[in-house]
Amino acid sequence: EKWPKGDEKVWRTALRGLDTDVPSITKSVVNHVQTSLARQAYNLDNLGAYQAAALSVRDNLILNWNDTQMHYTRKAPKRAYYLSLEFLMGRTLDNALLNLGLKDKYQEGVHQLGFNLEDILEQERDAALGNGGLGRLAACYLDSSASQELPVWGYGLRYKYGIFQQLIGPDGSQLEAPDPWLQQGDNPWELPRLDVTYEVRFYGHAERLDGMKAIWSGGQEVVAMAYDTMIPGYDTKSTNNLRLWESKPKRGFDLQSFNAGDYERAVESSNSAEAITSVLYPNDHTTFGKELRLKQQYFWTAASLADIMRRFKNLGKPITEFPDYVAIQLNDTHPTLAIPELMRIFIDEEDVPWDAAWQLVTNTFFFTNHTVLPEALEKWPVPLMQSLLPRHMQIIFDIHYLHVAVEKKFPGDRDKFARMSLIEEGYPQQVRMANLACIGSRKVNGVAELHSELVRTTIMKDFVDYYGISKFANVTNGITPRRWLDQCNPGLSKLISETLKLPKAAFLKDLFKLEGLLKFVDDPIFQKKWAAIKQSNKERLAHYVETTLGLKINTHAMFDVQIKRLHEYKRQTLNIMGVIHRYLTLKDMTPEQRKTVNPKVVFFAGKAAPGYYIAKLTIRLIVNAARIINSDPETKDILQLYFLPDYSVSLAEVLIPASDISQHISTAGTEASGTSNMKFCLNGGLLVGTVDGANIEIAEEVGENNVFFFGHLTPAVEDLRYQHMYHAVPIEQKCPPLARVLNEVSAGRFGDGSVYEPLLNTIRQHDYYLLTEDFDSYIQALQLVDEAYQDRTEWIKKSIRTSAKMGKFSSDRAIQDYAQEYWNIESTKPE
Ligand code: NTF
């Protein structure tokens, strides 16, 4: 190695890195207080202490990040890129401390400075650049990639506003407020890269040249600037990168208009450029066809591909080797424009002939589908795409015609061809993004066994006939045990470590090691310790609820939790109807009978898309039912109901370890996987659920006797819906207990009943999500839960067994699957 200049000895000492003994840590924290924050050390609050501690931890991350990136550049391994419009990261400081192995030392250090680490961690605002499972999955996958020393980068958008903050109004309805998450001051976890910028074009016109080439010019140009977030691996120096793009105007403002006195006009283009990355779309499972969303998608894919292409070109390899160095995972169809964009780069800029370009493209991309719900399948109007991205529209039509080969394979089957077409006929025509993602990718996968099978047999059936089955695979989702065991449940992690006589790192890096707990299932002392941890987690949750909402919770009750986005298919409505049914049943009892009932606390949390009327009504019903139920002197000691506002990753970290039972009750065949089901089980909570998504594989692991299953199975769903359509039976006949619940709501038992009519009618009328079909078996399942909970020792055994069998659901396993079966990349780490 050559030294830059000057004295080598001086350089060597200076480059030694950071000391991480406690005195060095306190020194570094105080240094940041005085210099980076320019604050007085003697009047520091928790927020200031958080900021200084974060900057101090960040110094360590940056050094590891530099070494890792330098190593990748020198070694030039094949890399994988995870393109996701959502990364639901949550808080960073605690995770960084854990992964760096510095948690104890910082705890001691800040303690010596007069602070409590727990309080400092609470100061951090969640980075909530995602809606739900899809975005949190991306975050878990980054953690697992870095932890396994895999060369993987994430690419996304740096939204100025994350998912909205949820408030509950006086009438019980959801209100939305913006989430200006960056307004806390500088975000210590990101590095602005003023030098990493690309120009991205919109509109203009595309002019065909000879052959398949074209020139795209004119229109509007905006600039993408990179912000890098360091992703530390656990127990390794490897620190990967999450690169998020911010949109900026190409020219700050228009001097001509300014000089002419038209000040509004002068900043107009700057405002419209900045709008692109201003806000995360808060819709989950629905598409709206808004131009700004399409702009976001193109802006992000174009900047990411330009960056990937520049890095590839620095290797000096022939363009034909692109797929030997680059694998790109498409997280749902949101980044599908990357396919025509890479075609455009190859053909228009790199002079690659069409067929060769298509070959390269289809060896580069991999596509994950996350839902089979029809309303979530993205389609873009051809006229909109034509105006915003004229060159891409040409390329898509070219791919479409190439694809006409399908006709040759299935001569005369026009229906099949119509279904497989990239263009859906209609007024206007629409581009089907899932079809484009499928034909442009090497492999297509679903996110749990049942879901992948549904992908193969429903939305992608024709493509399976065409390409053969081997293109269509499964990678069951996973969760990172670092955040979802050690961070959120340190007591349990410690107990496991002591019991197995293993350092935490052993099972946090190989979750199958938890199976060792099975030996202790019958050990009464271990059972007691296991139960004590659940109890203290309940108290931690109760404390949170008391300090934030001022409500007192019975911590000796069974805790029953359903936390996820509000959606009809997830059936929070079934749950609330079940709670009301329980309430009515308790009211029917004599006081003597009530004394024998085990107390239960039911928690809901989750956001509804701002425009999703029925989902919002469900929240309103839950909140208002809670008001009545919690204040009823006859029942309030045995049944409590809470809707916790503003669900977030951080709230999940408090709720999940406290739960005895959690609900994953989607209509069979609708929940692709679910990932919180895995988190609850890992923390010793049991499931009540339908035979859907990853619930099925969880039951395979833990044994069906440890899961409370109910409801119809997937193959029955279509027939039942057909019957509802054409041979409807009134609810009073079909399901009297549910009819009674609906009538009580209607009659105003929980506030003005007329408000809820539209919600009740979804059940009384078509009942698309089959509540009337599943209600009886749901109530039975909850009955079995109550009975099982009576025998506390048996329950604790179930809880231990469940947690012990969660090895499969580590995101480390999922990422290994992707790395080996799809991306063909290998671990490599800096010295
Ligand atoms: C979600 N899909 C599914 O609904 C969940 O079941 C699954 O666990 C997560 O993805 C992660 O795979 C979506 O959010 C989307 F966008 F596809 F609708």
Side-chain angles (χ1 to χ4, degrees):
E1 291 288 338
K2 222 176 121 246
W3 295 97
K5 44 172 105 107
D7 189 330
E8 181 176 332
K9 247 202 274 168
V10 173
W11 269 105
R12 276 199 189 281
T13 330
L15 281 171
R16 227 185 33 215
L18 294 169
D19 291 319
T20 52
D21 52 287
V22 175
S24 303
I25 284 171
T26 49
K27 182 154 192 239
S28 145
V29 172
V30 172
N31 246 324
H32 278 295
V33 173
Q34 294 183 304
T35 60
S36 314
L37 304 180
R39 291 184 68 160
Q40 303 291 354
Y42 55 77
N43 66 5
L44 194 64
D45 55 6
N46 275 329
L47 179 60
Y50 157 71
Q51 285 169 325
L55 288 167
S56 159
V57 170
R58 175 177 99 148
D59 290 342
N60 291 273
L61 294 181
I62 291 178
L63 295 187
N64 289 350
W65 186 91
N66 273 337
D67 286 353
T68 310
Q69 303 316 315
M70 174 94 88
H71 170 74
Y72 290 161
T73 305
R74 287 206 186 118
K75 184 147 187 244
K78 182 174 183 186
R79 300 170 182 241
Y81 299 101
Y82 197 83
L83 266 60
S84 179
L85 257 193
E86 305 188 7
F87 288 93
L88 195 41
M89 304 298 280
R91 289 176 175 152
T92 292
L93 179 54
D94 194 23
N95 181 249
L97 286 170
L98 170 65
N99 285 10
L100 288 164
L102 294 176
K103 197 161 167 177
D104 293 344
K105 287 180 182 164
Y106 270 81
Q107 180 139 37
E108 174 59 22
V110 299
H111 175 75
Q112 290 180 7
L113 296 172
F115 291 90
N116 175 349
L117 185 61
E118 304 298 301
D119 299 339
I120 289 180
L121 297 177
E122 283 298 311
Q123 297 299 311
E124 183 174 355
R125 228 173 140 135
D126 276 36
L129 308 185
N131 276 287
L134 173 138
R136 182 54 230 176
L137 185 75
C140 285
Y141 282 178
L142 292 181
D143 182 79
S144 282
S145 298
S147 297
Q148 296 179 99
E149 296 158 344
L150 289 164
V152 176
W153 275 28
Y155 276 109
L157 290 181
R158 182 182 181 270
Y159 304 106
K160 203 187 258 156
Y161 296 93
I163 189 71
F164 64 87
Q165 285 183 54
Q166 179 191 55
L167 309 165
I168 300 299
D171 67 358
S173 354
Q174 166 176 295
L175 302 174
E176 299 91 16
D179 167 38
W181 68 293
L182 292 164
Q183 277 175 22
Q184 199 180 26
D186 274 349
N187 171 7
W189 309 116
E190 65 177 11
L191 306 165
R193 293 292 184 197
L194 293 161
D195 55 329
V196 182
T197 59
Y198 298 95
E199 288 177 7
V200 177
R201 184 186 308 281
F202 295 106
Y203 311 106
H205 42 89
E207 194 186 323
R208 294 252 188 203
L209 303 175
D210 289 348
M212 304 297 277
K213 273 180 81 149
I215 292 181
W216 179 25
S217 57
Q220 176 197 13
E221 278 180 296
V222 301
V223 172
M225 182 186 130
Y227 283 77
D228 288 343
T229 299
M230 297 146 285
I231 307 293
Y234 173 70
D235 196 28
T236 169
K237 191 174 182 182
S238 276
T239 302
N240 280 337
N241 195 23
L242 167 59
R243 181 158 279 181
L244 301 179
W245 301 105
E246 180 184 61
S247 59
K248 294 168 32 129
K250 195 169 161 187
R251 270 174 290 278
F253 72 53
D254 174 6
L255 199 59
Q256 235 173 3
S257 310
F258 186 79
N259 288 344
D262 191 347
Y263 306 118
E264 269 170 36
R265 182 78 176 272
V267 293
E268 203 171 75
S269 78
S270 136
N271 288 341
S272 92
E274 280 162 8
I276 297 172
T277 56
S278 66
V279 63
L280 165 82
Y281 275 85
N283 308 304
D284 192 60
H285 294 92
T286 41
T287 61
F288 275 111
K290 286 270 186 293
E291 178 170 48
L292 186 61
R293 168 81 171 191
L294 189 60
K295 272 191 161 176
Q296 288 187 336
Q297 295 186 345
Y298 180 64
F299 172 81
W300 154 59
T301 50
S304 306
L305 275 181
D307 200 41
I308 292 168
M309 187 56 83
R310 195 209 48 184
R311 194 166 305 115
F312 171 75
K313 291 201 134 188
N314 284 340
L315 299 174
K317 304 283 178 186
I319 198 86
T320 48
E321 290 181 18
F322 190 82
D324 302 333
Y325 290 90
V326 176
I328 300 176
Q329 191 70 39
L330 305 173
N331 198 27
D332 217 85
T333 53
H334 317 147
T336 302
L337 283 169
I339 290 168
E341 172 66 2
L342 189 56
M343 285 299 279
R344 187 190 68 77
I345 296 171
F346 282 148
I347 292 167
D348 297 354
E349 293 176 5
E350 303 295 330
D351 271 315
V352 181
W354 176 277
D355 290 340
W358 185 242
Q359 191 74 32
L360 295 177
V361 164
T362 51
N363 277 318
T364 299
F365 290 106
F366 299 87
F367 165 50
T368 307
N369 168 280
H370 293 265
T371 181
V372 294
L373 296 192
E375 65 268 32
L377 296 182
E378 280 191 296
K379 288 171 200 164
W380 289 104
V382 167
L384 172 61
M385 186 114 40
Q386 199 124 45
S387 120
L388 189 70
L389 302 165
R391 178 59 183 136
H392 297 78
M393 198 60 248
Q394 280 179 351
I395 291 171
I396 291 169
F397 273 120
D398 289 346
I399 298 172
H400 175 73
Y401 289 122
L402 176 102
H403 187 57
V404 169
V406 170
E407 265 188 318
K408 295 208 188 97
K409 187 150 177 174
F410 305 107
D413 194 343
R414 289 206 190 150
D415 288 347
K416 194 176 205 84
F417 184 58
R419 287 193 303 266
M420 292 176 75
S421 174
L422 293 186
I423 309 294
E424 185 167 285
E425 292 306 330
Y427 304 93
Q429 291 181 312
Q430 312 223 73
V431 183
R432 292 167 170 158
M433 303 309 266
N435 289 14
L436 180 55
C438 171
I439 74 169
S441 296
R442 172 116 225 95
K443 283 203 157 203
V444 177
N445 76 284
V447 291
E449 290 291 351
L450 172 67
H451 168 64
S452 295
E453 185 55 22
L454 289 172
V455 167
R456 287 189 283 254
T457 54
T458 63
I459 55 174
M460 291 286 156
K461 182 180 180 309
D462 299 305
F463 293 96
V464 173
D465 294 344
Y466 183 72
Y467 289 105
I469 192 90
S470 63
K471 176 168 172 157
F472 299 86
N474 171 250
V475 180
T476 298
N477 283 165
I479 56 168
T480 169
R482 271 73 65 181
R483 184 176 295 261
W484 298 112
L485 175 56
D486 192 70
Q487 271 174 250
C488 72
N489 203 343
L492 193 64
S493 190
K494 184 157 172 275
L495 174 64
I496 293 171
S497 165
E498 286 165 5
T499 308
L500 299 179
K501 300 200 170 55
L502 287 173
K504 281 192 320 196
F507 57 88
L508 292 181
K509 289 203 284 192
D510 174 8
L511 201 60
F512 285 104
K513 291 241 155 60
L514 293 190
E515 279 193 24
L517 294 173
L518 292 176
K519 280 206 305 238
F520 301 88
V521 166
D522 294 314
D523 172 351
I525 298 175
F526 179 63
Q527 291 168 357
K528 234 175 142 180
K529 290 181 181 167
W530 188 269
I533 286 160
K534 183 63 75 187
Q535 188 57 35
S536 74
N537 289 330
K538 287 181 175 183
E539 273 146 29
R540 180 177 69 165
L541 172 59
H543 176 77
Y544 169 86
V545 174
E546 188 159 1
T547 49
T548 55
L549 303 176
L551 300 166
K552 257 202 156 13
I553 288 180
N554 177 4
T555 56
H556 295 289
M558 178 202 293
F559 279 19
D560 176 336
V561 183
Q562 188 180 20
I563 47 176
K564 47 186 89 233
R565 283 300 287 250
L566 268 285
H567 202 294
E568 285 165 284
Y569 89 82
K570 293 177 186 282
R571 299 202 295 192
Q572 281 92 353
T573 331
L574 180 60
N575 188 348
I576 186 60
M577 297 307 167
V579 172
I580 294 173
H581 175 266
R582 189 181 185 91
Y583 174 64
L584 298 176
T585 310
L586 293 175
K587 293 292 281 180
D588 290 342
M589 289 178 175
T590 65
E592 285 313 306
Q593 286 171 317
R594 272 185 223 123
K595 282 199 187 111
T596 66
V597 174
N598 241 315
K600 180 164 167 176
V601 184
V602 178
F603 296 91
F604 283 88
K607 293 174 183 178
Y612 194 167
Y613 178 63
I614 294 295
K616 290 173 104 170
L617 262 189
T618 308
I619 293 178
R620 193 166 170 185
L621 176 59
I622 296 167
V623 173
N624 287 312
R627 287 175 182 162
I628 301 298
I629 292 174
N630 296 345
S631 59
D632 187 328
E634 284 186 335
T635 58
K636 71 183 174 50
D637 294 331
I638 42 177
L639 180 61
Q640 297 184 325
L641 169 62
Y642 297 100
F643 185 91
L644 305 185
D646 205 29
Y647 182 50
S648 65
V649 170
S650 292
L651 183 52
E653 289 170 20
V654 183
L655 273 161
I656 289 170
S659 109
D660 295 304
I661 191 95
S662 67
Q663 305 214 20
H664 308 272
I665 57 177
S666 49
T667 312
T670 62
E671 187 70 277
S673 165
T675 41
S676 77
N677 42 8
M678 304 165 187
K679 297 167 191 169
F680 281 104
C681 288
L682 181 56
N683 287 279
L686 305 186
L687 302 187
V688 55
T690 44
V691 185
D692 201 16
N695 292 353
I696 300 172
E697 287 157 78
I698 290 174
E700 272 166 26
E701 295 298 305
V702 307
E704 276 208 31
N705 51 339
N706 293 316
V707 172
F708 299 91
F709 269 143
F710 73 94
H712 286 280
L713 306 187
T714 303
V717 166
E718 237 181 280
D719 290 344
L720 289 169
R721 280 181 180 161
Y722 180 86
Q723 283 175 28
H724 284 209
M725 222 35 147
Y726 300 104
H727 310 283
V729 178
I731 185 171
E732 284 74 16
Q733 268 169 52
K734 167 154 268 163
C735 187
L738 181 58
R740 178 181 178 208
V741 171
L742 300 193
N743 289 340
E744 292 289 335
V745 175
S746 243
R749 186 127 182 191
F750 307 102
D752 185 356
S754 65
V755 166
Y756 302 110
E757 281 312 299
L759 171 63
L760 305 178
N761 283 339
T762 63
I763 305 170
R764 289 193 191 114
Q765 290 165 9
H766 29 101
D767 190 23
Y768 187 75
Y769 292 104
L770 307 181
L771 276 76
T772 55
E773 298 292 341
D774 283 349
F775 191 76
D776 290 336
S777 70
Y778 175 60
I779 297 301
Q780 268 167 35
L782 291 177
Q783 185 70 39
L784 290 178
V785 170
D786 287 335
E787 283 161 21
Y789 199 69
Q790 298 276 7
D791 185 346
R792 211 52 60 83
T793 309
E794 238 347 276
W795 184 276
I796 294 164
K797 287 187 191 173
K798 282 177 185 293
S799 163
I800 299 168
R801 283 198 193 101
T802 299
S803 176
K805 297 293 285 182
M806 283 303 109
K808 171 175 173 182
F809 303 102
S810 167
S811 46
D812 293 349
R813 184 272 312 151
I815 280 297
Q816 274 305 323
D817 269 15
Y818 281 108
Q820 289 170 20
E821 307 293 324
Y822 295 63
W823 306 334
N824 193 22
I825 60 167
E826 278 167 12
S827 295
T828 176
K829 66 167 166 191
E831 286 314 305

